Amino acid sequence: MIHSCNMTYSLSEEGVDKCEKMLWLIPFLLMACSSGEEASPDSGSSQPDRSPEKQIDLGLLTLLEAHPHLSFEEPLHYEVLPDTGKAFVVERQGIIQMFDAQEDAEQAEVFLDLSDVISASGSEMGLLGLALHPEFEANGYFFVNYTTEEGTVIARMQADPETFSVDENTQTTLLAFPQPYPNHNGGHLAFGTDGYLYIGVGDGGGSGDPEDNAQDLNELYGKLLRIDVDETSSGRPYAIPADNPFAENGEGIREEIFAYGLRNPWKFSFDEERQWLWLADVGQNRLEEINVIESGQNYGSKRGIDGHGFDDFFFWRRPRRGSHSCGLQWKIVSFRETRVYESTKTHTANS
């Protein structure tokens, strides 16, 4: 079992006067620290209860340093391998640090150094993602997402699961594709409990998705991908899960696509209790977005509704079933500065 988390919180008896100061924590809280396990990302015919009735008292939350004796250079991801007691931190400049997953850990060592391979020349480029295989302790496989001057690379590598030494000659490229612009590279990787690897890919960059990539099902840009890394098929070093929404579609649609219409999917995590897949998508100017992802659905990037375009980043949640060209998903939450907006039954928002 592998645990991953973006931030660490604990409860205290602090007063509600902290609410205004801590509203910026909302997106991290809603992404939820995950056990890395997923029951089913697609809710099927039974729809989950997404009413905004449950509220979090932010005054009861305190932000703590998980490892106060350690510091990192541009950390982007934190992952724990509980049975070994090891934690990993991904640094954008190409380093993965490893250390004991204890609060009093005082020293980290380099697990992997890709600084000579990656390009971090743009502020959204670099080593962006790490996912340890669910059977890492047996096979030593792990997966990285990084950018070069040519584009994005998704690769598998192998470490000795006992010594954690990495043989860089084991690198196998699963996916590689050019990036039209230096921004919007996505980068997060994670396994669901279905054993499949999920990959967030940005829309290719530029302002306002100038190439309309997020809505183009022949492209990987602006999508959440889902692949089977334990099998191969059709000359690829991976296979397409049989229940992927566009598997064997015969229309030229990329079969790796699990969901589309995303702008720059930054982080996502699996909520085992609710059987939800939470995904944070970066907004254009004023609003950001968090979605619950469902198989085959369109999250609307570039298709603003009722006057809400890229500047507002409001989109639909419930799609029209049976259509992969029209149905749009509602947002779950949008937020602007320190104001939080929750979705209602109409396409307006109440603070």
Side-chain angles (χ1 to χ4, degrees):
M1 182 183 300
I2 298 167
H3 294 265
S4 63
C5 186
N6 296 318
M7 301 291 286
T8 302
Y9 304 93
S10 68
L11 293 177
S12 74
E13 294 299 322
E14 300 292 332
V16 291
D17 59 326
K18 290 186 179 179
C19 286
E20 289 291 330
K21 297 178 181 178
M22 300 189 72
L23 279 171
W24 64 275
L25 293 176
I26 283 287
F28 296 107
L29 293 170
L30 290 175
M31 285 170 63
C33 289
S34 168
S35 65
E37 297 179 279
E38 173 204 19
S40 172
D42 187 2
S43 57
S45 59
S46 60
Q47 300 303 321
D49 176 14
R50 293 178 183 157
S51 65
E53 296 177 359
K54 296 180 181 179
Q55 298 184 5
I56 299 173
D57 185 350
L58 297 180
L60 300 179
L61 298 174
T62 301
L63 183 63
L64 302 177
E65 288 192 63
H67 303 284
H69 304 299
L70 299 176
S71 61
F72 305 96
E73 194 75 25
E74 297 186 90
L76 298 182
H77 181 66
Y78 174 79
E79 189 145 336
V80 175
L81 193 60
D83 292 341
T84 67
K86 294 296 184 182
F88 302 83
V89 166
V90 174
E91 298 178 332
R92 188 176 73 89
Q93 296 295 331
I95 306 292
I96 298 177
Q97 302 279 5
M98 181 180 69
F99 50 93
D100 292 333
Q102 304 294 331
E103 183 179 0
D104 59 356
E106 295 185 352
Q107 185 173 358
E109 59 182 300
V110 175
F111 172 71
L112 179 67
D113 184 350
L114 292 177
S115 57
D116 291 337
V117 177
I118 65 104
S119 172
S121 58
S123 63
E124 297 178 29
M125 298 172 63
L127 179 56
L128 304 177
L130 165 70
L132 304 176
H133 192 282
E135 300 297 328
F136 176 87
E137 293 171 59
N139 60 33
Y141 288 144
F142 64 95
F143 300 80
V144 290
N145 186 333
Y146 61 85
T147 59
T148 67
E149 288 297 332
E150 288 71 39
T152 286
V153 175
I154 314 297
R156 183 189 69 204
M157 303 182 74
Q158 190 171 27
D160 185 313
E162 294 185 2
T163 66
F164 296 98
S165 61
V166 177
D167 182 356
E168 296 186 20
N169 294 322
T170 62
Q171 175 166 328
T172 298
T173 298
L174 303 184
L175 287 165
F177 44 89
Q179 289 289 354
Y181 302 91
N183 60 334
H184 294 190
N185 298 306
H188 188 51
L189 305 167
F191 281 93
T193 54
D194 52 17
Y196 299 134
L197 181 65
Y198 293 72
I199 305 166
V201 181
D203 64 12
S207 178
D209 190 8
E211 300 180 28
D212 201 19
N213 285 321
Q215 294 297 320
D216 187 346
L217 294 176
N218 297 312
E219 298 285 354
L220 297 179
Y221 307 112
K223 314 297 192 298
L224 182 67
L225 312 181
R226 179 181 184 242
I227 61 175
D228 182 351
V229 298
D230 294 323
E231 302 290 340
T232 60
S233 67
S234 304
R236 295 173 294 217
Y238 58 88
I240 302 298
D243 59 347
N244 265 20
F246 303 113
E248 301 181 353
N249 62 85
E251 301 176 27
I253 296 173
R254 293 298 299 257
E255 297 175 76
E256 297 91 343
I257 296 171
F258 186 75
Y260 66 106
L262 302 171
R263 185 171 181 272
N264 189 28
W266 177 234
K267 294 290 182 182
F268 55 88
S269 61
F270 300 96
D271 184 336
E272 181 181 10
E273 180 181 351
R274 297 176 180 82
Q275 302 183 19
W276 292 1
L277 196 172
W278 293 94
L279 183 144
D281 202 0
V282 180
Q284 173 92 1
N285 291 323
R286 293 186 294 165
L287 296 178
E288 311 299 324
E289 181 169 311
I290 295 173
N291 289 300
V292 171
I293 299 295
E294 296 180 358
S295 175
Q297 302 311 320
N298 181 2
Y299 291 82
S301 186
K302 195 161 184 180
R303 297 182 62 178
I305 302 298
D306 194 25
H308 295 294
F310 263 102
D311 285 349
D312 292 300
F313 210 45
F314 274 60
F315 303 115
W316 299 95
R317 180 173 74 85
R318 174 53 42 211
R320 188 169 69 197
R321 293 289 180 181
S323 170
H324 57 249
S325 61
C326 298
L328 296 176
Q329 291 283 70
W330 275 94
K331 62 175 173 54
I332 301 305
V333 173
S334 292
F335 47 93
R336 176 192 303 147
E337 297 175 351
T338 59
R339 297 183 177 89
V340 179
Y341 298 86
E342 296 187 356
S343 59
T344 66
K345 293 183 179 180
T346 65
H347 52 271
T348 61
N350 295 325
S351 61

